[in-house]
Amino acid sequence: MATTPTPAAAKTPAPPPRSVLRDPAFLRLWAGTTASGLATWALPFVLGLAVLHRDLGAAGLGLVLAARTAGFLAAVAVGGVLADRHSRRAVVLWSALAAAAAAPLLAAGLGRSLVLMTAAAALAGAGQGACRPAFQALTAETVEPGRRQQANAAMTMAVRGSTLAGPALTALLAAFLDVGALLLGIGALWLVAALIPGRGSADAACGEDPAAPPAPRPRTAFRTEFLEGMREARRHPWFLAGLAALGAVITLGYSATSVALPLISRDRYGTEWVLAAAVTAYTVGALGGALVIARWRPRSPGRAAFAGLAAYGLAPLSLMLPVHPVVVVAAYAVAGIGIELFNVPWFTATQREVAPDKLARVSSLDFLVSYGLAPAGLALIAPAIDAFGVTAVLGACAAACFLVPAAASLVPTARHFGRPSAAPAD
């Protein structure tokens, strides 16, 4: 007796990847990053309040903030080596705990010992610096490749949101709390950053992951391991080109606008409104840029990213021309959008292309350039303005912001930030 064959079941298409914002492991990491960002941006504001309350002098404020920057730069390279040598989660824990421990020391030295405050600020900066590359590598461990661009966009939104919320929340709390209590609150935020993030789980979630935690390896000298990270960076022409372009924009563009914007807001427009509006527009633009790049996948991600970085040149260009203040604010908003069109694909490509056991060390080079060149640029721009005039300096800096990223985009492998076939589809 003939039977009717059972029709083959239709293949069910694979479900779309779940949003990274529904991943509890990532949300814990995001919360820790947000807490560290709030603590980072709140500290200078709180110390400024200490100056207003005469618990700290202006010279003392400069010394304390310089010590924090020095601590950051000294620790970021160490943190990169430690995060590749040990558990990235452990490095986040201990570095954030160090920053948390600095808060009560700052409070204890307030109005009593500038030496203690300076040492505590250096400890806070060291904790912040050591956790930065570890957070970058931990993101790659926590999120599988197809969702990392969305994850990095969410991370950068946390950072940019902190620049707005940190000072605003601090100003609100200052109506009810004294400076010492606010410093202890910053320590509490660092405790959240230390304790909330979990261990990376991307390798368990999706099988073999190219950014899985590094396997134990023989212990070598710190200098040797750091140089290994530099050699790994040199293997990627697009990464070196990106560092050069980023360095030019920070050293020349960012530093020039930081010095010139307050002067031009006062002298040309006769109001502080332009200064406040431009800085706010830059941060809001960056938030918008992060939202865009969370979903947008350009055909040539590297060149699109370098174009976004070059957009920062609009900021110094708007300051050198006698334009309406709305044009200045709009230029800063576009510059903010562009910087995240660069940052998010840059972070994602680094997590994808760099050898997993060297990821934190390579990321530390990025932070060394990002944070290390800004003070150098600030130190050079003011004398240059005195010598050549603000218009000439702004023009040269705007040209560098446009031309250096354009040249970097022509470097081999820069078009796609790596091999064209390496970018995962979301």
Side-chain angles (χ1 to χ4, degrees):
M1 177 178 177
T3 59
T4 304
T6 303
K11 292 184 177 179
T12 304
R18 185 178 59 167
S19 169
V20 72
L21 299 179
R22 298 174 61 186
D23 184 344
F26 173 74
L27 289 177
R28 291 176 63 184
L29 181 62
W30 181 88
T33 303
T34 302
S36 70
L38 286 171
T40 297
W41 289 102
L43 181 58
F45 191 84
V46 172
L47 293 175
L49 291 176
V51 174
L52 293 178
H53 295 170
R54 302 187 185 280
D55 294 321
L56 183 67
L61 174 62
L63 181 62
V64 170
L65 292 179
R68 186 178 76 145
T69 300
F72 178 95
L73 295 175
V76 70
V78 176
V81 172
L82 293 178
D84 281 340
R85 179 187 288 179
H86 304 291
S87 161
R88 276 91 185 244
R89 176 66 188 90
V91 173
V92 168
L93 171 66
W94 291 108
S95 58
L97 286 177
L105 295 176
L106 283 166
L110 192 65
R112 300 180 184 89
S113 173
L114 182 59
V115 173
L116 178 58
M117 291 194 71
T118 302
L123 178 61
Q128 178 194 349
C131 76
R132 286 299 103 194
F135 266 127
Q136 278 292 98
L138 193 57
T139 301
E141 290 183 15
T142 303
V143 182
E144 62 263 25
R147 299 189 298 167
R148 284 187 193 142
Q149 184 151 320
Q150 186 185 37
N152 286 316
M155 287 293 195
T156 198
M157 288 181 67
V159 173
R160 297 299 180 183
S162 298
T163 65
L164 291 175
L169 289 174
T170 303
L172 179 63
L173 292 173
F176 308 97
L177 302 172
D178 61 20
V179 174
L182 292 174
L183 288 171
L184 294 178
I186 290 174
L189 286 172
W190 277 114
L191 284 177
V192 171
L195 300 176
I196 280 188
R199 292 184 176 274
S201 58
D203 52 331
C206 62
E208 184 179 356
D209 182 12
R217 52 191 174 83
R219 186 67 53 85
T220 56
F222 170 84
R223 179 176 179 275
T224 301
E225 295 192 37
F226 182 73
L227 291 176
E228 285 178 359
M230 294 187 67
R231 284 193 291 272
E232 172 65 20
R234 288 200 298 268
R235 287 185 54 242
H236 305 280
W238 62 269
F239 184 83
L240 296 180
L243 278 184
L246 185 62
V249 169
I250 290 174
T251 307
L252 299 175
Y254 179 80
S255 298
T257 53
S258 297
V259 173
L261 178 60
L263 299 176
I264 289 175
S265 179
R266 180 196 65 193
D267 298 339
R268 179 187 300 167
Y269 300 108
T271 175
E272 296 177 354
W273 175 86
V274 178
L275 169 62
V279 172
T280 303
Y282 178 78
T283 303
V284 173
L287 287 168
L291 282 173
V292 170
I293 202 60
R295 292 293 181 185
W296 182 40
R297 300 295 183 271
R299 285 190 172 186
S300 301
R303 289 184 179 173
F306 282 123
L309 185 61
Y312 195 91
L314 294 174
L317 186 63
S318 70
L319 294 177
M320 65 178 290
L321 300 175
V323 296
H324 192 277
V326 172
V327 176
V328 175
V329 175
Y332 269 80
V334 173
I337 294 171
I339 203 69
E340 295 309 334
L341 296 184
F342 173 82
N343 279 339
V344 174
W346 169 261
F347 292 148
T348 305
T350 303
Q351 293 161 351
R352 182 186 69 238
E353 297 288 326
V354 170
D357 62 333
K358 300 179 181 67
L359 176 57
R361 279 170 284 176
V362 173
S363 295
S364 71
L365 296 176
D366 181 6
F367 290 112
L368 279 171
V369 169
S370 301
Y371 289 85
L373 291 180
L378 289 171
L380 294 173
I381 290 297
I385 289 177
D386 290 339
F388 303 105
V390 66
T391 300
V393 170
L394 287 172
C397 291
C401 289
F402 291 133
L403 296 176
V404 177
S409 69
L410 303 177
V411 169
T413 71
R415 178 176 180 180
H416 297 280
F417 276 166
R419 293 166 286 112
S421 60
D426 278 13

